Amino acid sequence: MSESSVHTSLAPERATPATGEPTGPVRHDHPTPVLGALGLFTVLLGAALPLIDFFIVNVALPTIDRDLDAGPAMLELVVAGYGLAYAVLLVLGGRLGDMVGRRRLFLIGMAAFGITSLACRLAPDARTLVGARVAQGAAAALMLPQVLATIQAATRGPRRARAMSLYGATAGLSMVAGQILGGVLVAAAPMSSVFGESAGWRSVFLVNVPVAAVGLILAARAVPETRSDRPAPVDVPGTLLLALSLVTLLAPLTEGRAAGWPLWTWVSLALFPFSAYAFYRVERRADRLGRVPLVPPSLLRLESLRRGLALVVPFSIGFGGFMFVIAVALQQGLRLGPAAAGLSLAPMALAFFGASLAGPRLVRRYGTRVVTAGGLIQAVGIVVLALTAHLAWQGLGLWGLLPGVAIAGLGQGLQLPVLFRIVLSDVPPEKAGVGGGVMTTTQQAALALGVATLGTLFLALTPGLGMRDALVVTLLVQLAAVALTVGLSLRLPRTVA
Protein backbone atom coordinates (compact mmCIF):
# COMPACT_ATOMS: atom_id res chain seq x y z
CA MET A 1 0.00 0.00 0.00
CA SER A 2 1.28 3.42 -0.84
CA GLU A 3 2.25 5.88 1.80
CA SER A 4 -0.66 8.12 0.75
CA SER A 5 -3.17 5.62 2.05
CA VAL A 6 -1.98 5.64 5.63
CA HIS A 7 -1.68 8.70 7.81
CA THR A 8 1.33 8.83 10.11
CA SER A 9 0.43 9.66 13.69
CA LEU A 10 -0.59 7.98 16.88
CA ALA A 11 -3.17 5.35 16.11
CA PRO A 12 -5.81 3.02 17.38
CA GLU A 13 -4.77 -0.27 18.89
CA ARG A 14 -2.27 -3.04 18.19
CA ALA A 15 -3.45 -6.62 17.70
CA THR A 16 -1.64 -9.48 19.44
CA PRO A 17 -0.39 -12.32 17.22
CA ALA A 18 -2.16 -14.91 19.35
CA THR A 19 -5.68 -13.55 19.42
CA GLY A 20 -5.88 -10.87 16.76
CA GLU A 21 -7.54 -8.63 19.35
CA PRO A 22 -6.30 -5.10 20.06
CA THR A 23 -4.18 -4.58 23.17
CA GLY A 24 -2.92 -1.00 23.19
CA PRO A 25 -1.88 1.99 21.12
CA VAL A 26 -0.78 1.29 17.59
CA ARG A 27 0.70 3.43 14.88
CA HIS A 28 -1.15 4.98 11.98
CA ASP A 29 1.93 4.32 9.83
CA HIS A 30 1.49 0.53 10.06
CA PRO A 31 1.91 -0.84 6.49
CA THR A 32 -1.67 -2.08 6.67
CA PRO A 33 -4.11 0.08 8.68
CA VAL A 34 -5.75 -1.88 11.50
CA LEU A 35 -9.09 -0.94 13.03
CA GLY A 36 -8.98 -2.10 16.64
CA ALA A 37 -11.81 -2.59 19.11
CA LEU A 38 -11.79 1.02 20.32
CA GLY A 39 -11.61 2.31 16.76
CA LEU A 40 -14.53 0.10 15.74
CA PHE A 41 -16.57 1.34 18.69
CA THR A 42 -15.78 4.92 17.67
CA VAL A 43 -16.82 4.60 14.04
CA LEU A 44 -19.97 2.71 15.08
CA LEU A 45 -20.77 5.63 17.37
CA GLY A 46 -20.45 7.84 14.31
CA ALA A 47 -22.80 5.53 12.42
CA ALA A 48 -25.36 5.59 15.21
CA LEU A 49 -25.69 9.36 15.63
CA PRO A 50 -27.11 10.25 12.17
CA LEU A 51 -29.62 7.39 12.22
CA ILE A 52 -30.73 8.15 15.77
CA ASP A 53 -31.33 11.77 14.78
CA PHE A 54 -33.43 10.83 11.77
CA PHE A 55 -35.95 9.14 14.09
CA ILE A 56 -35.45 10.92 17.41
CA VAL A 57 -37.68 13.82 16.42
CA ASN A 58 -40.73 11.65 15.59
CA VAL A 59 -42.00 11.63 19.15
CA ALA A 60 -40.91 15.25 19.72
CA LEU A 61 -42.92 16.72 16.82
CA PRO A 62 -46.10 17.45 18.84
CA THR A 63 -44.04 19.36 21.41
CA ILE A 64 -42.15 21.29 18.69
CA ASP A 65 -45.47 22.18 17.05
CA ARG A 66 -46.92 23.45 20.32
CA ASP A 67 -43.84 25.40 21.36
CA LEU A 68 -42.85 26.99 18.04
CA ASP A 69 -46.31 27.14 16.43
CA ALA A 70 -44.74 25.29 13.52
CA GLY A 71 -47.74 23.90 11.65
CA PRO A 72 -47.84 20.67 9.57
CA ALA A 73 -45.71 21.91 6.66
CA MET A 74 -42.88 23.11 8.92
CA LEU A 75 -43.00 19.90 10.96
CA GLU A 76 -42.61 17.91 7.75
CA LEU A 77 -39.57 20.05 6.89
CA VAL A 78 -37.99 19.40 10.30
CA VAL A 79 -37.90 15.73 9.31
CA ALA A 80 -37.51 16.08 5.54
CA GLY A 81 -34.86 18.84 5.58
CA TYR A 82 -32.49 16.61 7.52
CA GLY A 83 -33.26 13.54 5.42
CA LEU A 84 -32.89 15.34 2.09
CA ALA A 85 -29.53 16.95 2.89
CA TYR A 86 -28.33 13.66 4.32
CA ALA A 87 -29.37 11.55 1.33
CA VAL A 88 -28.22 14.05 -1.33
CA LEU A 89 -24.68 14.45 0.03
CA LEU A 90 -23.86 10.91 1.20
CA VAL A 91 -22.17 9.71 -1.99
CA LEU A 92 -20.21 12.96 -2.23
CA GLY A 93 -19.11 12.46 1.39
CA GLY A 94 -17.80 9.02 0.50
CA ARG A 95 -15.89 10.38 -2.50
CA LEU A 96 -14.32 13.17 -0.43
CA GLY A 97 -13.22 10.64 2.18
CA ASP A 98 -11.50 8.58 -0.52
CA MET A 99 -9.70 11.73 -1.65
CA VAL A 100 -8.60 13.56 1.49
CA GLY A 101 -8.69 10.81 4.10
CA ARG A 102 -11.58 9.04 5.78
CA ARG A 103 -10.44 9.73 9.31
CA ARG A 104 -10.09 13.44 8.54
CA LEU A 105 -13.60 13.64 7.06
CA PHE A 106 -14.97 11.61 9.98
CA LEU A 107 -13.51 14.14 12.43
CA ILE A 108 -14.82 17.12 10.43
CA GLY A 109 -18.26 15.54 10.16
CA MET A 110 -18.40 14.65 13.86
CA ALA A 111 -17.43 18.20 14.89
CA ALA A 112 -19.97 19.73 12.48
CA PHE A 113 -22.66 17.36 13.73
CA GLY A 114 -22.10 18.50 17.31
CA ILE A 115 -22.17 22.19 16.34
CA THR A 116 -25.33 21.88 14.22
CA SER A 117 -27.04 19.87 16.97
CA LEU A 118 -26.37 22.75 19.32
CA ALA A 119 -27.83 25.12 16.72
CA CYS A 120 -31.00 22.98 16.62
CA ARG A 121 -31.22 23.13 20.39
CA LEU A 122 -30.97 26.93 20.41
CA ALA A 123 -33.36 27.55 17.47
CA PRO A 124 -35.76 30.39 18.40
CA ASP A 125 -38.34 29.60 15.71
CA ALA A 126 -39.40 26.88 13.28
CA ARG A 127 -37.59 28.28 10.23
CA THR A 128 -34.30 28.45 12.09
CA LEU A 129 -34.81 24.89 13.31
CA VAL A 130 -35.38 23.69 9.74
CA GLY A 131 -32.18 25.42 8.57
CA ALA A 132 -30.20 23.89 11.42
CA ARG A 133 -31.62 20.46 10.60
CA VAL A 134 -30.52 20.80 6.96
CA ALA A 135 -27.01 21.67 8.13
CA GLN A 136 -27.10 18.76 10.57
CA GLY A 137 -28.01 16.38 7.72
CA ALA A 138 -25.10 17.70 5.66
CA ALA A 139 -22.71 17.09 8.59
CA ALA A 140 -24.03 13.54 8.94
CA ALA A 141 -23.37 12.97 5.23
CA LEU A 142 -19.69 13.82 5.74
CA MET A 143 -19.36 11.46 8.70
CA LEU A 144 -21.35 8.33 7.91
CA PRO A 145 -19.76 7.14 4.62
CA GLN A 146 -16.36 7.06 6.33
CA VAL A 147 -17.60 4.37 8.71
CA LEU A 148 -18.17 1.64 6.15
CA ALA A 149 -15.17 2.74 4.10
CA THR A 150 -12.88 2.49 7.15
CA ILE A 151 -14.25 -0.93 8.04
CA GLN A 152 -13.71 -2.12 4.46
CA ALA A 153 -10.18 -0.71 4.27
CA ALA A 154 -8.89 -1.55 7.76
CA THR A 155 -10.33 -5.01 8.52
CA ARG A 156 -9.94 -8.40 6.89
CA GLY A 157 -11.52 -11.85 7.00
CA PRO A 158 -13.52 -12.82 10.12
CA ARG A 159 -12.87 -9.43 11.74
CA ARG A 160 -14.48 -7.69 8.78
CA ALA A 161 -17.46 -10.05 8.91
CA ARG A 162 -17.89 -9.35 12.62
CA ALA A 163 -17.47 -5.60 12.11
CA MET A 164 -20.06 -5.57 9.31
CA SER A 165 -22.50 -7.50 11.48
CA LEU A 166 -21.99 -5.02 14.29
CA TYR A 167 -22.51 -2.16 11.82
CA GLY A 168 -25.81 -3.69 10.71
CA ALA A 169 -26.83 -4.21 14.33
CA THR A 170 -25.91 -0.61 15.14
CA ALA A 171 -27.84 0.74 12.17
CA GLY A 172 -31.04 -1.11 12.98
CA LEU A 173 -30.79 -0.57 16.72
CA SER A 174 -30.12 3.14 16.24
CA MET A 175 -33.29 3.62 14.21
CA VAL A 176 -35.40 2.08 16.97
CA ALA A 177 -33.35 3.54 19.83
CA GLY A 178 -33.73 7.03 18.38
CA GLN A 179 -37.47 6.88 18.86
CA ILE A 180 -37.15 5.39 22.35
CA LEU A 181 -34.55 7.95 23.41
CA GLY A 182 -36.58 10.81 21.96
CA GLY A 183 -39.65 9.82 23.95
CA VAL A 184 -37.73 9.46 27.19
CA LEU A 185 -35.91 12.79 26.77
CA VAL A 186 -39.05 14.74 25.88
CA ALA A 187 -40.84 13.35 28.93
CA ALA A 188 -37.94 13.52 31.39
CA ALA A 189 -36.27 16.84 30.54
CA PRO A 190 -36.57 19.23 33.49
CA MET A 191 -38.42 22.50 33.10
CA SER A 192 -36.02 25.21 32.01
CA SER A 193 -36.22 28.79 33.18
CA VAL A 194 -34.91 29.84 29.75
CA PHE A 195 -36.83 27.54 27.44
CA GLY A 196 -39.85 26.61 29.57
CA GLU A 197 -41.91 23.78 28.06
CA SER A 198 -39.55 23.53 25.10
CA ALA A 199 -36.82 21.98 27.29
CA GLY A 200 -38.11 18.52 26.34
CA TRP A 201 -37.72 18.70 22.57
CA ARG A 202 -34.53 20.76 22.83
CA SER A 203 -32.93 18.00 24.89
CA VAL A 204 -33.15 15.56 21.98
CA PHE A 205 -30.63 17.73 20.14
CA LEU A 206 -28.52 18.74 23.11
CA VAL A 207 -27.69 15.11 23.91
CA ASN A 208 -25.65 14.92 20.69
CA VAL A 209 -23.16 17.57 21.80
CA PRO A 210 -21.30 15.64 24.55
CA VAL A 211 -21.51 12.44 22.50
CA ALA A 212 -19.87 14.18 19.53
CA ALA A 213 -17.16 15.59 21.82
CA VAL A 214 -16.34 12.11 23.13
CA GLY A 215 -16.38 10.77 19.57
CA LEU A 216 -13.85 13.37 18.46
CA ILE A 217 -11.44 12.45 21.27
CA LEU A 218 -11.73 8.73 20.56
CA ALA A 219 -11.44 9.12 16.79
CA ALA A 220 -8.27 11.20 17.09
CA ARG A 221 -6.68 8.36 19.04
CA ALA A 222 -8.21 5.15 17.76
CA VAL A 223 -9.27 5.43 14.10
CA PRO A 224 -6.59 4.81 11.45
CA GLU A 225 -6.34 7.11 8.47
CA THR A 226 -7.13 5.49 5.13
CA ARG A 227 -7.73 6.86 1.66
CA SER A 228 -7.81 5.59 -1.88
CA ASP A 229 -4.42 5.06 -3.54
CA ARG A 230 -5.85 6.59 -6.70
CA PRO A 231 -8.37 9.23 -5.53
CA ALA A 232 -10.62 10.60 -8.23
CA PRO A 233 -11.74 14.22 -8.52
CA VAL A 234 -15.25 15.21 -7.55
CA ASP A 235 -17.79 14.43 -10.26
CA VAL A 236 -19.56 17.80 -10.34
CA PRO A 237 -22.18 17.00 -13.05
CA GLY A 238 -22.97 13.67 -11.39
CA THR A 239 -23.25 15.26 -7.96
CA LEU A 240 -25.63 17.96 -9.18
CA LEU A 241 -27.81 15.53 -11.13
CA LEU A 242 -27.99 13.07 -8.23
CA ALA A 243 -29.02 15.92 -5.94
CA LEU A 244 -31.66 17.04 -8.46
CA SER A 245 -33.01 13.49 -8.79
CA LEU A 246 -33.36 12.95 -5.05
CA VAL A 247 -34.83 16.39 -4.39
CA THR A 248 -37.42 16.15 -7.19
CA LEU A 249 -38.58 12.79 -5.80
CA LEU A 250 -38.37 13.23 -2.03
CA ALA A 251 -39.30 16.92 -1.59
CA PRO A 252 -42.81 16.69 -3.10
CA LEU A 253 -43.54 13.35 -1.43
CA THR A 254 -42.58 14.58 2.01
CA GLU A 255 -44.11 18.07 1.71
CA GLY A 256 -47.01 17.47 -0.67
CA ARG A 257 -49.69 16.35 1.78
CA ALA A 258 -48.94 19.02 4.39
CA ALA A 259 -48.81 21.75 1.71
CA GLY A 260 -52.03 20.61 0.00
CA TRP A 261 -50.31 19.24 -3.13
CA PRO A 262 -49.62 22.58 -4.88
CA LEU A 263 -48.52 22.77 -8.51
CA TRP A 264 -44.79 22.66 -7.70
CA THR A 265 -45.12 19.16 -6.20
CA TRP A 266 -46.54 17.74 -9.43
CA VAL A 267 -43.98 19.57 -11.57
CA SER A 268 -41.21 18.21 -9.36
CA LEU A 269 -42.48 14.62 -9.61
CA ALA A 270 -42.75 14.99 -13.38
CA LEU A 271 -39.12 16.13 -13.55
CA PHE A 272 -37.83 13.19 -11.49
CA PRO A 273 -37.63 10.53 -14.25
CA PHE A 274 -35.86 12.96 -16.59
CA SER A 275 -33.28 13.98 -13.99
CA ALA A 276 -32.72 10.36 -12.99
CA TYR A 277 -32.18 9.33 -16.62
CA ALA A 278 -29.84 12.27 -17.20
CA PHE A 279 -27.83 11.21 -14.14
CA TYR A 280 -27.54 7.66 -15.47
CA ARG A 281 -26.42 8.83 -18.93
CA VAL A 282 -23.80 11.22 -17.53
CA GLU A 283 -22.39 8.56 -15.21
CA ARG A 284 -22.29 5.91 -17.94
CA ARG A 285 -20.53 8.27 -20.33
CA ALA A 286 -17.93 9.19 -17.70
CA ASP A 287 -17.35 5.50 -17.00
CA ARG A 288 -16.83 4.75 -20.72
CA LEU A 289 -14.34 7.62 -21.04
CA GLY A 290 -12.22 6.20 -18.24
CA ARG A 291 -13.16 8.80 -15.66
CA VAL A 292 -14.43 7.93 -12.19
CA PRO A 293 -18.09 8.97 -11.93
CA LEU A 294 -19.85 9.62 -8.63
CA VAL A 295 -21.72 6.30 -8.90
CA PRO A 296 -19.77 4.11 -11.34
CA PRO A 297 -22.16 1.94 -13.39
CA SER A 298 -19.38 -0.68 -13.33
CA LEU A 299 -19.83 -0.86 -9.55
CA LEU A 300 -23.50 -1.60 -10.04
CA ARG A 301 -22.54 -4.55 -12.23
CA LEU A 302 -21.37 -6.37 -9.10
CA GLU A 303 -24.09 -8.98 -8.57
CA SER A 304 -23.86 -8.92 -4.78
CA LEU A 305 -24.18 -5.13 -4.62
CA ARG A 306 -27.00 -4.94 -7.14
CA ARG A 307 -29.12 -7.69 -5.60
CA GLY A 308 -28.41 -6.57 -2.06
CA LEU A 309 -29.53 -3.01 -2.82
CA ALA A 310 -32.72 -4.39 -4.39
CA LEU A 311 -33.62 -5.75 -0.95
CA VAL A 312 -32.41 -2.75 1.05
CA VAL A 313 -34.94 -0.51 -0.75
CA PRO A 314 -38.24 -2.25 0.19
CA PHE A 315 -36.89 -3.15 3.64
CA SER A 316 -36.01 0.48 4.42
CA ILE A 317 -39.24 1.87 2.93
CA GLY A 318 -41.23 -0.38 5.24
CA PHE A 319 -39.01 0.33 8.25
CA GLY A 320 -39.02 4.12 7.86
CA GLY A 321 -42.77 4.25 7.28
CA PHE A 322 -43.52 1.97 10.23
CA MET A 323 -41.47 4.01 12.70
CA PHE A 324 -43.21 7.25 11.72
CA VAL A 325 -46.71 5.76 11.67
CA ILE A 326 -46.40 3.94 14.99
CA ALA A 327 -45.19 7.14 16.70
CA VAL A 328 -48.25 9.05 15.48
CA ALA A 329 -50.69 6.20 16.20
CA LEU A 330 -49.50 5.66 19.76
CA GLN A 331 -49.41 9.34 20.72
CA GLN A 332 -52.43 10.70 18.88
CA GLY A 333 -54.54 7.54 18.61
CA LEU A 334 -53.94 5.84 21.96
CA ARG A 335 -52.97 9.07 23.78
CA LEU A 336 -49.77 7.57 25.14
CA GLY A 337 -47.17 10.00 26.43
CA PRO A 338 -43.85 10.36 24.58
CA ALA A 339 -42.00 8.12 27.05
CA ALA A 340 -44.58 5.32 26.84
CA ALA A 341 -44.75 5.62 23.04
CA GLY A 342 -40.96 5.36 22.80
CA LEU A 343 -40.55 2.54 25.32
CA SER A 344 -43.21 0.45 23.60
CA LEU A 345 -40.57 -0.20 20.91
CA ALA A 346 -37.94 -1.42 23.38
CA PRO A 347 -38.80 -5.12 22.72
CA MET A 348 -38.17 -4.52 19.01
CA ALA A 349 -34.76 -3.02 19.75
CA LEU A 350 -33.74 -5.89 22.05
CA ALA A 351 -34.91 -8.55 19.60
CA PHE A 352 -33.17 -6.80 16.71
CA PHE A 353 -29.89 -6.59 18.59
CA GLY A 354 -30.00 -10.22 19.68
CA ALA A 355 -30.73 -11.41 16.14
CA SER A 356 -27.94 -9.23 14.75
CA LEU A 357 -25.39 -10.76 17.09
CA ALA A 358 -26.50 -14.27 16.12
CA GLY A 359 -26.41 -13.40 12.41
CA PRO A 360 -22.75 -14.19 11.58
CA ARG A 361 -22.99 -17.70 13.05
CA LEU A 362 -26.28 -18.37 11.25
CA VAL A 363 -24.92 -17.04 7.96
CA ARG A 364 -21.92 -19.39 8.15
CA ARG A 365 -24.32 -22.32 8.52
CA TYR A 366 -27.29 -21.35 6.35
CA GLY A 367 -25.95 -18.64 4.03
CA THR A 368 -28.30 -15.97 2.70
CA ARG A 369 -31.37 -18.05 3.53
CA VAL A 370 -31.11 -16.27 6.87
CA VAL A 371 -32.48 -13.19 5.05
CA THR A 372 -35.44 -15.20 3.76
CA ALA A 373 -36.17 -16.57 7.22
CA GLY A 374 -35.90 -13.08 8.68
CA GLY A 375 -38.43 -11.74 6.19
CA LEU A 376 -40.91 -14.48 7.04
CA ILE A 377 -40.49 -13.84 10.77
CA GLN A 378 -40.95 -10.10 10.24
CA ALA A 379 -44.14 -10.81 8.29
CA VAL A 380 -45.50 -12.81 11.22
CA GLY A 381 -44.73 -9.91 13.56
CA ILE A 382 -46.57 -7.41 11.34
CA VAL A 383 -49.62 -9.70 11.10
CA VAL A 384 -49.65 -10.06 14.90
CA LEU A 385 -49.44 -6.26 15.27
CA ALA A 386 -52.29 -5.72 12.79
CA LEU A 387 -54.51 -8.27 14.54
CA THR A 388 -53.68 -6.80 17.95
CA ALA A 389 -54.57 -3.30 16.81
CA HIS A 390 -57.80 -4.49 15.18
CA LEU A 391 -59.02 -6.63 18.09
CA ALA A 392 -57.71 -4.78 21.15
CA TRP A 393 -57.30 -1.13 20.19
CA GLN A 394 -58.97 0.34 23.25
CA GLY A 395 -56.56 0.16 26.17
CA LEU A 396 -53.71 -1.12 24.00
CA GLY A 397 -50.38 -0.49 25.69
CA LEU A 398 -46.85 -1.79 26.13
CA TRP A 399 -47.75 -5.39 26.97
CA GLY A 400 -50.27 -5.71 24.17
CA LEU A 401 -47.77 -4.45 21.61
CA LEU A 402 -44.87 -6.55 22.92
CA PRO A 403 -45.42 -9.82 20.95
CA GLY A 404 -45.83 -8.12 17.58
CA VAL A 405 -42.97 -5.65 17.86
CA ALA A 406 -40.62 -8.28 19.32
CA ILE A 407 -41.28 -10.78 16.53
CA ALA A 408 -40.94 -8.06 13.87
CA GLY A 409 -37.66 -6.87 15.44
CA LEU A 410 -36.30 -10.40 15.46
CA GLY A 411 -37.01 -10.76 11.75
CA GLN A 412 -35.52 -7.37 10.92
CA GLY A 413 -32.36 -8.19 12.86
CA LEU A 414 -31.83 -11.29 10.73
CA GLN A 415 -32.07 -9.25 7.53
CA LEU A 416 -30.41 -5.84 7.70
CA PRO A 417 -26.90 -6.74 8.94
CA VAL A 418 -26.65 -9.57 6.42
CA LEU A 419 -27.83 -7.30 3.60
CA PHE A 420 -25.11 -4.78 4.44
CA ARG A 421 -22.49 -7.53 4.25
CA ILE A 422 -23.85 -8.74 0.92
CA VAL A 423 -23.93 -5.26 -0.66
CA LEU A 424 -20.28 -4.52 0.17
CA SER A 425 -18.83 -8.04 0.00
CA ASP A 426 -17.29 -7.65 -3.49
CA VAL A 427 -16.54 -3.90 -3.46
CA PRO A 428 -12.76 -3.39 -3.79
CA PRO A 429 -11.08 -1.50 -0.91
CA GLU A 430 -10.05 1.42 -3.14
CA LYS A 431 -13.75 2.03 -3.88
CA ALA A 432 -14.89 1.48 -0.30
CA GLY A 433 -15.98 5.09 0.14
CA VAL A 434 -18.03 5.08 -3.06
CA GLY A 435 -19.59 1.71 -2.21
CA GLY A 436 -20.46 2.79 1.32
CA GLY A 437 -21.89 6.06 0.02
CA VAL A 438 -24.07 4.29 -2.56
CA MET A 439 -25.45 1.90 0.05
CA THR A 440 -26.13 4.51 2.71
CA THR A 441 -27.68 6.87 0.15
CA THR A 442 -29.98 4.09 -1.02
CA GLN A 443 -30.93 3.24 2.55
CA GLN A 444 -31.50 6.86 3.60
CA ALA A 445 -33.50 7.74 0.49
CA ALA A 446 -35.65 4.64 1.03
CA LEU A 447 -36.21 5.52 4.70
CA ALA A 448 -37.34 9.01 3.70
CA LEU A 449 -39.50 7.53 0.94
CA GLY A 450 -41.11 5.22 3.49
CA VAL A 451 -41.99 8.14 5.76
CA ALA A 452 -43.40 10.03 2.76
CA THR A 453 -45.44 7.19 1.24
CA LEU A 454 -46.64 5.09 4.17
CA GLY A 455 -46.88 8.17 6.38
CA THR A 456 -48.98 10.02 3.79
CA LEU A 457 -51.18 6.95 3.28
CA PHE A 458 -51.78 6.62 7.03
CA LEU A 459 -52.56 10.31 7.55
CA ALA A 460 -54.84 10.37 4.49
CA LEU A 461 -56.81 7.34 5.68
CA THR A 462 -57.19 8.49 9.30
CA PRO A 463 -60.03 11.04 8.82
CA GLY A 464 -62.24 8.50 7.04
CA LEU A 465 -61.32 5.20 8.70
CA GLY A 466 -60.16 6.30 12.12
CA MET A 467 -56.71 5.80 13.62
CA ARG A 468 -57.09 2.07 14.30
CA ASP A 469 -58.18 0.99 10.82
CA ALA A 470 -55.74 3.38 9.14
CA LEU A 471 -52.93 1.73 11.11
CA VAL A 472 -54.13 -1.76 10.15
CA VAL A 473 -54.29 -0.87 6.44
CA THR A 474 -50.83 0.72 6.55
CA LEU A 475 -49.39 -2.38 8.25
CA LEU A 476 -50.88 -4.57 5.51
CA VAL A 477 -49.27 -2.36 2.86
CA GLN A 478 -45.96 -2.76 4.68
CA LEU A 479 -46.58 -6.51 4.62
CA ALA A 480 -46.52 -6.33 0.82
CA ALA A 481 -43.05 -4.74 0.99
CA VAL A 482 -41.91 -7.57 3.28
CA ALA A 483 -43.27 -10.13 0.83
CA LEU A 484 -41.22 -8.47 -1.91
CA THR A 485 -38.04 -8.73 0.16
CA VAL A 486 -38.73 -12.42 0.81
CA GLY A 487 -39.16 -13.09 -2.90
CA LEU A 488 -36.04 -11.14 -3.87
CA SER A 489 -33.99 -12.85 -1.15
CA LEU A 490 -34.37 -16.15 -3.01
CA ARG A 491 -32.24 -14.66 -5.81
CA LEU A 492 -29.31 -13.78 -3.56
CA PRO A 493 -26.02 -15.70 -3.83
CA ARG A 494 -26.23 -18.57 -1.33
CA THR A 495 -22.97 -17.63 0.41
CA VAL A 496 -21.61 -14.33 1.73
CA ALA A 497 -17.95 -13.38 1.40
Side-chain angles (χ1 to χ4, degrees), residues 241-492:
L241 285 170
L242 177 62
L244 180 64
S245 301
L246 291 173
V247 168
T248 53
L249 174 65
L250 295 177
L253 290 177
T254 52
E255 277 293 289
R257 184 198 61 83
W261 297 105
L263 179 61
W264 73 263
T265 59
W266 300 109
V267 172
S268 181
L269 287 172
L271 286 174
F272 165 68
F274 296 100
S275 57
Y277 180 68
F279 171 69
Y280 169 73
R281 288 294 301 268
V282 166
E283 298 298 274
R284 188 176 68 171
R285 183 172 183 273
D287 214 11
R288 286 178 173 174
L289 293 175
R291 303 170 188 158
V292 183
L294 188 70
V295 180
S298 56
L299 195 65
L300 298 177
R301 286 198 289 270
L302 295 173
E303 183 183 28
S304 56
L305 184 140
R306 188 175 64 253
R307 294 190 176 183
L309 288 180
L311 272 81
V312 168
V313 170
F315 178 93
S316 299
I317 287 174
F319 198 107
F322 171 81
M323 296 299 288
F324 176 81
V325 167
I326 201 70
V328 175
L330 294 182
Q331 290 191 87
Q332 297 184 10
L334 294 176
R335 302 299 177 187
L336 297 181
L343 289 172
S344 65
L345 297 176
M348 174 179 282
L350 293 173
F352 189 106
F353 190 65
S356 299
L357 295 180
R361 184 172 65 254
L362 294 173
V363 168
R364 284 194 297 271
R365 184 169 182 181
Y366 301 108
T368 57
R369 291 299 173 259
V370 172
V371 177
T372 307
L376 293 172
I377 293 170
Q378 183 187 4
V380 171
I382 291 172
V383 170
V384 170
L385 270 175
L387 288 173
T388 302
H390 181 69
L391 298 174
W393 180 249
Q394 295 300 326
L396 184 61
L398 176 64
W399 295 108
L401 292 167
L402 190 150
V405 296
I407 295 170
L410 180 67
Q412 291 163 346
L414 292 174
Q415 295 175 81
L416 192 61
V418 182
L419 289 177
F420 285 168
R421 280 184 60 187
I422 292 169
V423 168
L424 297 176
S425 59
D426 294 328
V427 175
E430 65 271 14
K431 293 185 178 178
V434 177
V438 169
M439 191 187 74
T440 49
T441 297
T442 302
Q443 181 198 19
Q444 183 61 35
L447 287 171
L449 191 59
V451 173
T453 53
L454 293 181
T456 297
L457 173 67
F458 172 74
L459 295 172
L461 292 175
T462 297
L465 298 180
M467 195 74 72
R468 182 197 69 176
D469 291 343
L471 175 61
V472 171
V473 171
T474 306
L475 287 172
L476 294 179
V477 172
Q478 185 191 356
L479 190 62
V482 175
L484 178 60
T485 64
V486 171
L488 291 173
S489 70
L490 298 175
R491 301 182 65 241
L492 291 172

Side-chain angles (χ1 to χ4, degrees), residues 98-117:
D98 288 348
M99 290 175 59
V100 305
R102 293 151 188 155
R103 175 172 169 264
R104 180 181 299 177
L105 257 291
F106 183 85
L107 289 167
I108 293 171
M110 180 73 79
F113 194 83
I115 293 169
T116 53
S117 296

Side-chain angles (χ1 to χ4, degrees), residues 155-162:
T155 59
R156 297 290 184 273
R159 293 191 66 198
R160 178 183 292 178
R162 184 165 66 250

Side-chain angles (χ1 to χ4, degrees), residues 16-292:
T16 63
T19 65
E21 294 299 320
T23 59
V26 247
R27 296 166 56 85
H28 282 302
D29 60 353
H30 191 281
T32 301
V34 177
L35 184 67
L38 183 59
L40 179 60
F41 170 81
T42 304
V43 295
L44 291 180
L45 180 66
L49 278 176
L51 290 169
I52 286 174
D53 260 62
F54 183 81
F55 291 95
I56 200 170
V57 298
N58 280 348
V59 291
L61 290 176
T63 312
I64 294 173
D65 187 19
R66 190 165 56 248
D67 183 63
L68 298 182
D69 193 24
M74 277 294 173
L75 289 179
E76 293 274 2
L77 281 174
V78 169
V79 179
Y82 177 89
L84 277 171
Y86 187 22
V88 163
L89 297 173
L90 272 167
V91 178
L92 178 61
R95 171 64 61 85
L96 291 174
D98 288 348
M99 290 175 59
V100 305
R102 293 151 188 155
R103 175 172 169 264
R104 180 181 299 177
L105 257 291
F106 183 85
L107 289 167
I108 293 171
M110 180 73 79
F113 194 83
I115 293 169
T116 53
S117 296
L118 183 60
C120 291
R121 194 260 184 184
L122 298 173
D125 53 53
R127 291 184 182 277
T128 306
L129 178 60
V130 169
R133 284 284 284 172
V134 171
Q136 190 185 33
L142 290 179
M143 176 170 58
L144 186 62
Q146 319 316 323
V147 176
L148 282 170
T150 299
I151 290 173
Q152 287 288 97
T155 59
R156 297 290 184 273
R159 293 191 66 198
R160 178 183 292 178
R162 184 165 66 250
M164 288 300 301
S165 295
L166 287 172
Y167 175 86
T170 301
L173 190 62
S174 298
M175 292 186 279
V176 182
Q179 214 138 301
I180 297 171
L181 181 62
V184 172
L185 288 172
V186 169
M191 298 297 289
S192 166
S193 59
V194 177
F195 294 110
E197 293 184 358
S198 68
W201 71 260
R202 293 181 189 278
S203 66
V204 305
F205 300 113
L206 182 62
V207 71
N208 294 329
V209 178
V211 175
V214 171
L216 283 170
I217 295 169
L218 294 178
R221 179 181 186 273
V223 176
E225 180 67 285
T226 64
R227 59 171 62 86
S228 175
D229 288 332
R230 295 178 297 276
V234 172
D235 175 12
V236 175
T239 300
L240 294 176
L241 285 170
L242 177 62
L244 180 64
S245 301
L246 291 173
V247 168
T248 53
L249 174 65
L250 295 177
L253 290 177
T254 52
E255 277 293 289
R257 184 198 61 83
W261 297 105
L263 179 61
W264 73 263
T265 59
W266 300 109
V267 172
S268 181
L269 287 172
L271 286 174
F272 165 68
F274 296 100
S275 57
Y277 180 68
F279 171 69
Y280 169 73
R281 288 294 301 268
V282 166
E283 298 298 274
R284 188 176 68 171
R285 183 172 183 273
D287 214 11
R288 286 178 173 174
L289 293 175
R291 303 170 188 158
V292 183

